Each structure stands twice: as structure tokens, then as C-alpha cells.
Amino acid sequence: MRLWSRALDRVLGAPVPAEELPCAVPDGVTVRRGRLVPRVGGWFMGGSRRAAGAVTFGRTILANPDVPLTDDLIVHELVHVEQWKDPLFALKYCAQWMRHGYRQNPYEVEAYERQARYAARRGPTPPRNP
């Protein structure tokens, strides 16, 4: 089991401890920091040479270590965690991506709208301490 865990950490990135997260995540949701999946996600889904800020698979959020881990990012990705409850989500997401592209994909539109509503309720983000 230890070998499997180390291999998972190597491929997906190490889990981020709860005390290092900018906000709480539901039980059973894991946030990991790794480069591989966000890079592939950015190339493939975002149509960009840049890595994605984060990619969600099921109940795992795979965050790019080069992007600040903010509550806005977590809120956006938690919408995708909810969307993954649909067993056909991956197929539906890809179909919508092919039809509308990344930004106009209805699943991304929903996530960005909920992220914006969260930010509006929260108010201005306090400056981060260096």
C-alpha cells in the first residue's frame, strides 16, 4: 500500500494538508499539488500552452503548484466535484467542450458564476502576507 501511495503522490502530486488550504473542503475531497495533470489539462481542455490552475477528477482537486491556492479556486473546483456526481459527467463535459470550447462550456460557466457569487459575498480579498 505504501508503494501505491508513493506512486500516486508522484503522478498526481502530494496531498495538501487541511491546515494549508485557504478554506474548508467537504469530507472525502482531497486537494493535491502536482504539475502533470494541470499541464495536460491546460493543453488539452483549455487549448493553451499554459497549465490549468487546477483540474478535478471525482473528489480529487489537482492544483498547479505555480498557481496560488485561493478560496476562489477551491470554490470553482468544488462545483466540478458536485458535477462529477453525475456518472456521465466526463462524457458530457467533453461533449460540451467540443461544442462550445472551454469558457463557454456550460459546466465551466456554472463554476465561474458560482465562483463570482462567492467572491461578491466574501468582499475584497485581504492582501497575502509575503
Side-chain angles (χ1 to χ4, degrees):
M1 189 65 171
R2 182 130 172 92
L3 180 61
W4 172 249
S5 177
R6 285 199 335 233
L8 203 58
D9 288 354
R10 207 105 150 103
V11 173
L12 299 180
V16 178
E19 59 273 6
E20 292 180 22
L21 293 174
C23 59
V25 298
D27 287 340
V29 174
T30 303
V31 179
R32 292 176 170 270
R33 285 284 212 177
R35 295 186 193 288
L36 178 64
V37 175
R39 182 174 308 268
V40 172
W43 288 341
F44 181 67
M45 292 304 221
S48 167
R49 292 181 189 256
R50 284 189 1 238
V55 175
T56 298
F57 285 109
R59 298 183 61 76
T60 303
I61 299 169
L62 304 162
N64 181 340
D66 297 332
V67 172
L69 201 53
T70 64
D71 52 346
D72 286 340
L73 178 67
I74 298 294
V75 166
H76 178 100
E77 296 304 321
L78 286 174
V79 174
H80 295 314
V81 168
E82 286 179 26
Q83 293 166 342
W84 270 96
K85 290 177 182 176
D86 178 348
L88 298 176
F89 170 71
L91 291 173
K92 291 177 179 179
Y93 183 99
C94 289
Q96 293 297 336
W97 169 73
M98 290 171 68
R99 184 171 184 194
H100 301 286
Y102 172 75
R103 276 306 274 220
Q104 298 307 315
N105 181 329
Y107 294 107
E108 290 299 335
V109 169
E110 177 186 9
Y112 280 109
E113 285 175 354
R114 293 203 15 216
Q115 177 183 347
R117 284 198 310 266
Y118 170 82
R121 281 194 316 270
R122 181 199 61 225
T125 304
R128 294 178 77 108
N129 292 333

